C-alpha cells in the first residue's frame, strides 16, 4: 500500500484507521455482553428445556463474526469467505449441526481472542494520536518530511486485519464441506419445488381431461347411442345426431391437442426452440423481436431444456401483455458453453412480484428443476427483465 506523502493524506489515513480500530473495539465490547448470552445458553442446554436456544445463539454468533468479516473486507479489500453448515431441519437436527459445525468453534475462538486485541489495539492507538499530532505536525507538516508516528495507527489497523483474517478464515476442507452442505440444501429445495410443480401439472392435466375431453366424449357416446336407436325410424334425426357427434369429436380432438401442448408443445419438435419462440412472438399481441445467438445452429438442446425455455418465454410474454402495459418486448436466445441462456425484456411499467400470482414462481420452479437459475429485475417504472440460464450439454 502506498505511503502517504502529505500531512493531509497522513491524517486521512490515520483517521480511517482509527475508525476501523474503534469499530473493532465496539465489537469487542459487544462480545463481552455476548459471553453472558453464551453462559445462559450453556446452562439452558444442560437442563435440556432450553435446548432450542442453542441454534439461535449460534446464528447470533455467526452474525457477529460476519460483521467483523465485512469490516475487515472494507479495510483490506479482500473478502473473508463464510463456511457454515446451514441450520435447518428439526430442532434436534439444528442442534446437532450447530454443535458439529467447525465454524462454531472457529467463531468462538475469534470471539474470545478478539475481545483482547480489539480493545488493546485501540488503547495503543489513542496515545499515538497525541504524540503524532506533535511530532508529525512539525516533522511532516512544517519540514515536509515523511510522517513517522501517525502511520503506525494504520499499521495497527492492518494488524487487526491480519489477526482477524487468521482467526475467521475457514480451512479449505471446511469450505468444501460448507459448500457441499449448501449444495445439498439447494438441491433439497429445488427437488421439493420440482415435486410441487409436477403435482400441480398432473392436477392440471387431470382437470383438463375430466372437464374438457371426457365430458365431450361422454356427450359423443350419448349421441351415437341415440342415433343407433332411431336409425330405422327417423333418418333425419340420425343425420342431425351424427352431425352433432362429429362436432363433439372435433372439439374433443381440440381439447386433446391443448392438453398435449401443455405437456410438450409439438411445435418444438417440428420447428425447434427458435422457431417455436418466433411463433409465440407472432401470436403474443406485442411487437416482439427475437434474437438468436447460435441456438438454431448446431445440435439442439435436450427436450426438457427446450420445453422449459419455451414455457418461460410463453409465460413472460403473457405476463407482459396482461400486466405490464408494454407494447414492445425482446426475447434473446444464446448458446453458452455451459448451457442455454435466454432473456425476456419488456418496456412496461415494471413492479413484477413473484408473490402476486403472476406465474413467476412457477417459472422459477420449472427452471430450478433443471438446476438452472432465474433472475428477475423489475423496478417500478420498468423495464422488466427475466434472465434464465439452463445448463445442458450440446
Amino acid at each position: 500500500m502506498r505511503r502517504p506523502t502529505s500531512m493531509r493524506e497522513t491524517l486521512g489515513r490515520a483517521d480511517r484507521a482509527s475508525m476501523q480500530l474503534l469499530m473493532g473495539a465496539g465489537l469487542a465490547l459487544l462480545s463481552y455482553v455476548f459471553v453472558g448470552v453464551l453462559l445462559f445458553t450453556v446452562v439452558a442446554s444442560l437442563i435440556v428445556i432450553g435446548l432450542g436456544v442453542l441454534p439461535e445463539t449460534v446464528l447470533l454468533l455467526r452474525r457477529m463474526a460476519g460483521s467483523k468479516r465485512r469490516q475487515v473486507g472494507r479495510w483490506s479489500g479482500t473478502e473473508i469467505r463464510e463456511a457454515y453448515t446451514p441450520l435447518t431441519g428439526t430442532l434436534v437436527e439444528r442442534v446437532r449441526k450447530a454443535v458439529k459445525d467447525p465454524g462454531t468453534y472457529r467463531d468462538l475462538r475469534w470471539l474470545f481472542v478478539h475481545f483482547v486485541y480489539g480493545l488493546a489495539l485501540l488503547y495503543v492507538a489513542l496515545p499515538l494520536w497525541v504524540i503524532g499530532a506533535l511530532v508529525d505536525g512539525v516533522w511532516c507538516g512544517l519540514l515536509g518530511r515523511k510522517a513517522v508516528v501517525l502511520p503506525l495507527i494504520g499499521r495497527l489497523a492492518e494488524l487487526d486485519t491480519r489477526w482477524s483474517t487468521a482467526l475467521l478464515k475457514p480451512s479449505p476442507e471446511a469450505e468444501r464441506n460448507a459448500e457441499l452442505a449448501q449444495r445439498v440444501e439447494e438441491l433439497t429445495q429445488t427437488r421439493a419445488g420440482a415435486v410441487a410443480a409436477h403435482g400441480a401439472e398432473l392436477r392440471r392435466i387431470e382437470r383438463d381431461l375430466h372437464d374438457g375431453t371426457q365430458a365431450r366424449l361422454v356427450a359423443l357416446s350419448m349421441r351415437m347411442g341415440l342415433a343407433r336407436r332411431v336409425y330405422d325410424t327417423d333418418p333425419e334425426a340420425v343425420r342431425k345426431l351424427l352431425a352433432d357427434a362429429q362436432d363433439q369429436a372435433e372439439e374433443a380432438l381440440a381439447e386433446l391437442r391443448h392438453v398435449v401442448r401443455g405437456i410438450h408443445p409439438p411445435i418444438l419438435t417440428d420447428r425447434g426452440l427458435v422457431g417455436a419462440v418466433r411463433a409465440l412472438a407472432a401470436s403474443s399481441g406485442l411487437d416482439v423481436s427475437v434474437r438468436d445467438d447460435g441456438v438454431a445452429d448446431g445440435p439442439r438442446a435436450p427436450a426438457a431444456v427446450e420445453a422449459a425455455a419455451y414455457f418461460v418465454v410463453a409465460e413472460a410474454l403473457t405476463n407482459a401483455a396482461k400486466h405490464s402495459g408494454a407494447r414492445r418486448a425482446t426475447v434473446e436466445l444464446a448458446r453458452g458453453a455451459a448451457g442455454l441462456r435466454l432473456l425476456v425484456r419488456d418496456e412496461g411499467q415494471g413492479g413484477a412480484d413473484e408473490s402476486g400470482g403472476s406465474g413467476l414462481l412457477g417459472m422459477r420452479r420449472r427452471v430450478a428443476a433443471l438446476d438452472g437459475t432465474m433472475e428477475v429485475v423489475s423496478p417500478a417504472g420498468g423495464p422488466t427483465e427475466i434472465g434464465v440460464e439452463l445448463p445442458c450439454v450440446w
Side-chain angles (χ1 to χ4, degrees):
M1 190 174 297
R2 185 176 64 86
R3 297 186 63 182
T5 58
S6 67
M7 191 60 185
R8 177 178 295 180
E9 190 175 348
T10 300
L11 288 173
R13 177 168 172 78
D15 182 60
R16 292 192 297 271
S18 298
M19 290 300 299
Q20 178 78 3
L21 295 173
L22 183 61
M23 289 188 292
L27 193 59
L29 290 175
L30 183 62
S31 66
Y32 180 77
V33 178
F34 184 79
V35 170
V37 177
L38 190 62
L39 291 175
F40 170 77
T41 301
V42 172
V43 174
S45 300
L46 289 176
I47 63 176
V48 181
I49 299 177
L51 200 61
V53 181
L54 179 60
E56 301 303 323
T57 303
V58 171
L59 290 175
L60 180 59
L61 176 61
R62 290 181 180 182
R63 283 192 283 270
M64 290 180 61
S67 176
K68 186 62 180 180
R69 287 188 179 94
R70 291 189 295 272
Q71 178 188 340
V72 170
R74 286 192 296 267
W75 174 260
S76 64
T78 303
E79 179 186 7
I80 304 178
R81 294 188 59 185
E82 294 185 351
Y84 296 120
T85 301
L87 302 184
T88 56
T90 63
L91 176 59
V92 176
E93 291 174 344
R94 296 179 68 204
V95 171
R96 184 184 299 114
K97 291 177 180 178
V99 172
K100 291 186 175 181
D101 186 9
T104 301
Y105 303 99
R106 183 174 57 248
D107 290 349
L108 285 173
R109 181 186 60 185
W110 162 81
L111 180 73
F112 290 109
V113 178
H114 181 257
F115 175 71
V116 177
Y117 74 81
L119 292 174
L121 292 176
L122 179 64
Y123 291 153
V124 174
L126 291 177
L128 288 179
W129 264 108
V130 179
I131 300 172
L134 297 174
V135 175
D136 290 339
V138 176
W139 188 253
C140 180
L142 297 179
L143 302 179
R145 306 292 182 86
K146 290 183 178 179
V148 294
V149 179
L150 290 179
L152 295 178
I153 301 176
R155 294 182 182 180
L156 291 177
E158 293 171 1
L159 187 61
D160 172 79
T161 297
R162 286 197 297 270
W163 286 349
S164 299
T165 302
L167 290 170
L168 291 173
K169 184 178 181 181
S171 65
E173 182 180 0
E175 286 191 13
R176 288 193 297 270
N177 292 338
E179 288 175 357
L180 287 175
Q182 184 67 29
R183 183 60 176 160
V184 169
E185 183 69 18
E186 291 176 357
L187 290 177
T188 301
Q189 294 178 358
T190 56
R191 182 183 65 181
V195 170
H198 179 68
E201 188 71 8
L202 288 178
R203 289 191 295 272
R204 183 191 66 80
I205 294 172
E206 179 185 10
R207 184 175 61 252
D208 290 346
L209 290 175
H210 180 272
D211 298 341
T213 307
Q214 178 177 297
R216 299 190 187 282
L217 289 177
V218 169
L220 173 62
S221 176
M222 293 177 61
R223 281 172 172 73
M224 295 296 291
L226 291 173
R228 187 174 62 178
R229 290 181 183 180
V230 299
Y231 179 77
D232 295 327
T233 59
D234 194 350
E236 186 64 28
V238 170
R239 282 193 291 270
K240 186 177 184 305
L241 288 171
L242 289 177
D244 291 341
Q246 184 179 8
D247 293 338
Q248 291 290 338
E250 291 176 353
E251 291 174 357
L253 287 174
E255 292 284 350
L256 283 175
R257 283 193 293 268
H258 174 74
V259 174
V260 169
R261 280 195 297 270
I263 300 173
H264 184 81
I267 194 172
L268 279 175
T269 305
D270 298 338
R271 301 189 189 179
L273 179 60
V274 176
V277 169
R278 293 188 188 278
L280 281 175
S283 60
S284 69
L286 301 175
D287 181 11
V288 182
S289 61
V290 179
R291 302 173 185 174
D292 170 31
D293 186 9
V295 176
D297 304 328
R300 293 177 56 174
V305 173
E306 286 193 341
Y310 177 86
F311 284 117
V312 166
V313 174
E315 185 68 30
L317 292 180
T318 300
N319 289 344
K322 287 184 177 180
H323 308 296
S324 72
R327 296 182 179 180
R328 292 183 296 275
T330 302
V331 179
E332 298 180 6
L333 302 170
R335 179 192 297 267
L340 174 68
R341 298 194 306 271
L342 68 91
L343 176 68
V344 182
R345 184 180 190 273
D346 68 68
E347 300 177 2
Q349 61 188 1
D353 183 8
E354 292 191 31
S355 62
S358 59
L360 291 175
L361 181 59
M363 295 161 60
R364 189 176 293 280
R365 284 179 173 175
R366 187 183 290 271
V367 170
L370 298 176
D371 203 21
T373 58
M374 173 175 150
E375 182 180 2
V376 180
V377 179
S378 183
T384 296
E385 293 186 353
I386 300 176
V388 173
E389 291 190 10
L390 296 168
C392 68
V393 177
W394 298 97

